[in-house]
Amino acid sequence: MVAEKKTPLPNLMGITRIRATPSRLRLSVVKATSEKESSGDVPEDDPSFNPFGFVTDNPSSRSAIQLPESPAEDGNVGQMLYRTEDKGREFGSTIKAGKLRWFVRETGSKESRRGTVVFLHGAPTQSFGYRTVMSEMSEAGFHCFAPDWIGFGFSDKPQPGYGFNYTEKEYHEAFDKLLDTLEIKSPFFLVVQGFLVGSYGLTWALKNPSKIEKIAILNTPLTVSSPVPGLFKQLRIPLFGEFTCQNAILAERFIEGGSPYVLKNEKADVYRLPYLSSGGPGFALLETAKKINFGDTLGQIANGFSSGSWDKPTLLAWGIADKYLSQSIAEEFEKQNPQNVKLRLIEGAGHLPQEDWPEKVVAALRSFF
């Protein structure tokens, strides 16, 4: 497969390129020292004028909340939804498990000779990030599933208090029902990535070790010292959280904030679509962030996967350019159970290795599984 060309972050607000390779660029943020910035007198027509504090200058992100010089050329939110509503549903269908409807991507078949792989995403993203990895893994002989967690992507987003309250226990119970509905036989291979619901994927694994043959963990908080990104802290602030969760571009900004690359417009459209369609995804994210106990959850993960507690083969496929979770977190986690946990670094990938470098993730998973 020919590697997809990545789009590096632009030189905006003091971002400077420091090292280049033929297909990727490394970036470093340096302190702006121009006379205009030091004086605070930056005219609005200056290219660096950035009142909303964008992570990048991605035209897709900017057009979501800023009007162009000729607004009629870009259309309104309704027209944006019309242009994007059919995007991002590759390999997917809606499946009802219990009272909840899940959007689940599937590649391969039950007859696939190498076994079943279940991919779980983190917040505030969706299973769309696994589309390329799933496609290539099925070509290698695996049967692959990737659901959007309840409250995320194209799955149901119930109002809190009406059948689903976004707690760890409820996520685990709903996931069990989904596995039964999909008739996924145990043991299977599990891949987990990301914050909040990603962490719940790991705590589910700790409670169901007999259902897992091997587990691969992409960039996910694994130790009690793992930092909590600012987005999730903001969501837990009364009133400010309610405002923050309705930012239609929060998902793409979060992805770009943890990566050395800019999302292409067509990808950003998909990550934005659920948050543009209704207020439901934002409030689901808000409730999930408010209900999680970060210290307790990370303690469960750190202790549960340590030597003497966990004996399943475990791969850490870690994007070393992650701006939220450093490589040292993965190294510390590996040291707690060196017999069963193996670390494989993915150079050039950020917080979502499956989006930044899917071909390297596929190579790591095929070798491990």
Side-chain angles (χ1 to χ4, degrees), residues 156-168:
D156 271 353
K157 303 159 187 74
Q159 183 178 345
Y162 291 85
F164 198 80
N165 285 313
Y166 300 94
T167 63
E168 178 185 27

Side-chain angles (χ1 to χ4, degrees), residues 237-252:
I237 301 174
L239 297 182
F240 188 69
E242 280 75 1
F243 174 80
T244 300
C245 77
Q246 295 305 307
N247 181 350
I249 63 171
L250 66 83
E252 66 200 78

Side-chain angles (χ1 to χ4, degrees), residues 15 19 47 148 155-156 179 191 229 259 261 296 310 314 327:
I15 297 177
R19 173 186 164 194
D148 286 345
S155 289
D156 271 353
L179 293 177
V191 180
S259 169
Y261 312 115
D296 178 68
W310 183 259
T314 303
Q327 179 180 327

Side-chain angles (χ1 to χ4, degrees), residues 9-17 27-34 36-38 40 42-44 46-58 62 253:
L9 292 172
N11 188 5
L12 174 70
M13 296 296 288
I15 297 177
T16 305
R17 300 181 179 88
L27 311 174
S28 176
V29 179
V30 298
K31 185 176 180 181
T33 58
S34 70
K36 287 184 179 179
E37 289 173 322
S38 62
V42 182
E44 294 191 12
D46 188 285
S48 67
F49 180 68
N50 192 16
F52 295 101
F54 294 103
V55 174
T56 74
D57 195 25
N58 184 351
R62 295 178 68 88
R253 287 183 64 179

Side-chain angles (χ1 to χ4, degrees), residues 2 15 45 67 74 82 120 136 167 187 220 263 293 306 357-358 363:
V2 178
I15 297 177
D45 58 353
L67 292 175
D74 275 11
Y82 179 77
L120 298 179
E136 294 196 24
T167 63
T220 303
L263 284 171
N293 183 321
S306 62
W357 269 106

Side-chain angles (χ1 to χ4, degrees), residues 67-354:
L67 292 175
E69 292 183 5
S70 301
E73 293 179 1
D74 275 11
N76 55 31
V77 172
Q79 289 171 315
M80 289 178 66
L81 286 171
Y82 179 77
R83 291 198 302 266
T84 62
E85 62 182 354
D86 294 327
K87 287 185 176 182
R89 298 176 185 265
E90 292 90 336
F91 319 122
S93 62
T94 299
I95 296 175
K96 190 172 184 179
K99 296 181 179 180
L100 298 170
R101 291 173 301 175
W102 295 70
F103 181 80
V104 182
R105 301 174 196 272
E106 179 182 6
T107 59
S109 68
K110 292 182 179 179
E111 289 72 37
S112 297
R113 65 190 185 280
R114 295 184 181 274
T116 301
V117 187
V118 177
F119 296 86
L120 298 179
H121 69 86
T125 64
Q126 53 175 286
S127 63
F128 176 71
Y130 286 119
R131 66 201 177 280
T132 303
V133 173
M134 292 179 65
S135 177
E136 294 196 24
M137 289 294 286
S138 64
E139 291 176 1
F142 294 92
H143 189 196
C144 303
F145 293 93
D148 286 345
W149 282 106
I150 296 300
F152 295 84
F154 302 110
S155 289
D156 271 353
K157 303 159 187 74
Q159 183 178 345
Y162 291 85
F164 198 80
N165 285 313
Y166 300 94
T167 63
E168 178 185 27
K169 181 175 181 290
E170 288 172 308
Y171 272 117
H172 287 177
E173 291 173 348
F175 184 56
D176 282 327
K177 291 179 181 178
L178 177 65
L179 293 177
D180 290 340
T181 301
L182 294 174
E183 298 181 345
I184 295 177
K185 296 180 180 179
S186 300
F188 58 86
F189 301 121
L190 182 64
V191 180
V192 179
Q193 187 276 329
F195 288 92
L196 302 185
V197 284
S199 295
Y200 289 162
L202 293 182
T203 56
W204 179 89
L206 291 173
K207 295 175 182 178
N208 297 274
S210 63
K211 296 182 179 181
I212 296 171
E213 186 167 345
K214 294 181 179 181
I215 183 170
I217 305 173
L218 311 183
N219 298 51
T220 303
L222 299 172
T223 65
V224 292
S225 61
S226 298
V228 177
L231 170 62
F232 305 125
K233 293 179 181 178
Q234 293 170 4
L235 289 169
R236 294 160 70 93
I237 301 174
L239 297 182
F240 188 69
E242 280 75 1
F243 174 80
T244 300
C245 77
Q246 295 305 307
N247 181 350
I249 63 171
L250 66 83
E252 66 200 78
R253 287 183 64 179
F254 184 82
I255 294 170
E256 292 176 340
S259 169
Y261 312 115
V262 174
L263 284 171
K264 289 187 175 181
N265 291 349
E266 59 269 21
K267 296 179 183 178
D269 283 341
V270 178
Y271 286 110
R272 182 192 313 138
L273 180 57
Y275 296 93
L276 270 178
S277 301
S278 75
F283 286 117
L285 175 63
L286 176 71
E287 286 299 313
T288 306
K290 290 167 67 175
K291 297 288 175 60
I292 192 171
N293 183 321
F294 285 107
D296 178 68
T297 301
L298 293 177
Q300 285 185 59
I301 293 170
N303 296 327
F305 283 95
S306 62
S307 295
S309 299
W310 183 259
D311 61 1
K312 300 290 183 178
T314 303
L315 171 70
L316 295 182
W318 204 265
I320 63 175
D322 190 341
K323 298 177 184 177
Y324 299 126
L325 299 169
S326 67
Q327 179 180 327
S328 62
I329 292 172
E331 292 171 342
E332 179 182 347
F333 186 78
E334 182 188 31
K335 289 178 182 178
Q336 299 303 313
N337 193 347
Q339 293 80 19
N340 297 297
V341 178
K342 302 302 177 185
L343 174 61
R344 179 163 176 171
L345 300 178
I346 302 181
E347 186 175 357
H351 182 61
L352 267 73
Q354 67 269 34

Side-chain angles (χ1 to χ4, degrees), residues 19-26 261 347 357:
R19 173 186 164 194
T21 63
S23 60
R24 274 126 177 119
L25 290 175
R26 298 291 183 87
Y261 312 115
E347 186 175 357
W357 269 106

